[in-house]
Amino acid sequence: MSTRAGRIIGTRARGTVSVHCAPLILPVTSPPIRDGAVVVRGDRIVRVGPRAEIEAAHPLLSPVRWPGMIVPGLIDAHLRLDRVSAAPSAHGVTAVGGVAADLDAASVLGEAGLDGVTYLETRCESEELWEDEGRDRLITAIREVDHPGVIGIAAHSPDPHVMEDLAVLSRTFGLRLHAEPGRHPVGFLDEVGVLGAGCHVAISGPLDEADRKLLGVRGTVIAISSPFAAEGLLDGGSAIAVGTRTGGDPLSVARALSHAPGHDRLLVEALTLGGARALDMAEGPGRLGSLERGGRADFAVFAVEGDERDAYTLLLHEGPGRCVATFVGGRARWRLDETADADAADAAANGVTPVNAVNAVNAGDAGSRRPA
């Protein structure tokens, strides 16, 4: 069970309703919808379906009309927060599995208005140092971190006794774990009790068949950040997510993982639902990674035109660099708009005044991007 440090990011008044329309809606957990709409109340999605039906059900609302397609917010399942140089929301990212080396880095997600898990990194080199000061320092950091989202532990110590204690602490405090097989063999991580459904791993190199099988048995999601690491993981037999490590566009990272058309849907699902599973946010009220009733209103708009039959391929291959807007908990966090004031856009997108977003794009013009 994930532990939050405070109020959920982006929570809005439940009575505020808005309708977002686009030529294509990609819910991920259900078939793509041509000429569709998403109804948002506060920070939750209350309905997804054909635009005509939704507009008939909400005749007094002026819908926000977007170009291209509306998709679930992308999830960067492995990002070093001390290396973030640009807002992840500019790429359609609404949640992050972020590794923080210190308390300053741990504040990055909250300051950016993003959801996800902030993993406090622990590299304590010996059991003696851990007993003397490491454990107390980590517990203090967990209590003091200025971040309203979920807190976890990045278990990166080389000492097996420290790693065992980190696994115990994670279960005691209800914290998620993050580990990197590049630092420790998968078998070692299993022996010290790190692996399991409460952990996800990030890899930059290939895993052998035995390691892949063990991670699958333990229910551990694998975040992939390079084509080299994707070897043997795109056959649908492993639970995968995508991580950028140093920021940037996760769609570009996912696109580079494979050139086989048969993998397009798998990779888009890894960017959305797979990332949500890695962070334990794919189920229950306020879930992420899909567009469905009861989920958090985390979504992104991409200026990609096409048919519902090839929606996944279009998003993966034409989506990089073409994000139009990003919403977290129903609130605009980033928008590409050369003409409208960003604050007015945020108010309009939350039902205060109608806004027509069709003219908000030249999606290929990265120079016109600015935070909302």
Side-chain angles (χ1 to χ4, degrees):
M1 179 68 68
S2 300
T3 297
R4 288 190 178 274
R7 180 180 61 82
I8 297 175
I9 297 173
T11 300
R12 308 290 284 182
R14 291 184 60 83
T16 303
V17 179
S18 59
V19 177
H20 298 262
C21 304
L24 193 59
I25 307 291
L26 186 62
V28 171
T29 50
S30 58
I33 303 169
R34 187 171 186 176
D35 192 16
V38 178
V39 183
V40 175
R41 177 183 289 118
D43 68 338
R44 299 294 173 88
I45 295 172
V46 295
R47 187 174 178 182
V48 180
R51 178 181 61 82
E53 293 181 9
I54 286 178
E55 289 187 347
H58 299 274
L60 300 181
L61 291 179
S62 297
V64 184
R65 301 188 184 279
W66 297 102
M69 66 173 72
I70 296 175
V71 307
L74 306 184
I75 298 175
D76 189 338
H78 184 211
L79 176 63
R80 292 288 312 191
L81 296 177
D82 53 344
R83 298 180 186 176
V84 176
S85 59
S89 53
H91 302 294
V93 174
T94 60
V96 170
V99 177
D102 51 45
L103 288 178
D104 287 339
S107 68
V108 168
L109 291 190
E111 292 171 355
L114 299 179
D115 208 336
V117 181
T118 294
Y119 295 94
L120 301 178
E121 187 174 35
T122 302
R123 292 187 177 187
C124 195
E125 296 182 356
S126 70
E127 184 180 13
E128 182 179 5
L129 287 173
W130 176 247
E131 295 291 346
D132 287 345
E133 59 181 41
R135 182 190 290 110
D136 289 342
R137 183 180 298 171
L138 175 61
I139 292 173
T140 298
I142 291 170
R143 292 170 175 166
E144 293 184 353
V145 62
D146 182 18
H147 169 47
V150 177
I151 303 301
I153 299 172
H156 296 165
S157 170
D159 187 278
H161 299 288
V162 176
M163 293 290 283
E164 288 178 351
D165 203 20
L166 289 173
V168 171
L169 281 174
S170 73
R171 291 189 288 270
T172 300
F173 286 93
L175 305 175
R176 291 193 63 74
L177 283 171
H178 171 284
E180 297 183 31
R183 299 174 184 268
H184 309 97
V186 171
F188 168 84
L189 293 173
D190 191 45
E191 289 175 6
V192 297
V194 168
L195 298 185
C199 168
H200 87 277
V201 300
I203 61 171
S204 56
L207 299 170
D208 62 30
E209 184 178 356
D211 287 344
R212 296 195 299 270
K213 185 173 182 179
L214 178 57
L215 290 168
V217 169
R218 295 291 182 254
T220 302
V221 179
I222 306 166
I224 310 170
S225 59
S226 74
F228 185 51
E231 182 179 332
L233 292 172
L234 301 183
D235 60 0
S238 299
I240 62 171
V242 175
T244 64
R245 286 188 175 265
T246 57
D249 193 335
L251 270 175
S252 294
V253 173
R255 183 175 61 182
L257 296 180
S258 173
H259 298 292
H263 292 154
D264 292 347
R265 178 167 182 167
L266 174 72
L267 291 169
V268 171
E269 289 177 345
L271 282 166
T272 51
L273 197 57
R277 288 170 177 156
L279 305 183
D280 191 30
M281 294 181 171
E283 299 180 359
R287 57 196 172 276
L288 307 181
S290 61
L291 299 177
E292 54 186 33
R293 183 175 181 177
R296 267 174 55 91
D298 282 21
F299 59 93
V301 184
F302 289 86
V304 176
E305 304 289 343
D307 190 274
E308 66 270 22
R309 291 171 296 183
D310 55 0
Y312 290 95
T313 297
L314 288 168
L315 177 62
L316 186 66
H317 293 276
E318 298 183 20
R322 305 189 73 183
C323 182
V324 175
T326 303
F327 287 76
V328 179
R331 184 176 183 179
R333 288 298 178 188
W334 186 88
R335 176 167 171 173
L336 177 70
D337 192 336
E338 297 179 333
T339 60
D341 178 78
D343 292 333
D346 182 34
N350 284 284
V352 179
T353 55
V355 61
N356 187 329
V358 174
N359 294 324
V361 295
N362 176 351
D365 182 8
S368 63
R369 293 176 179 163
R370 56 191 176 92

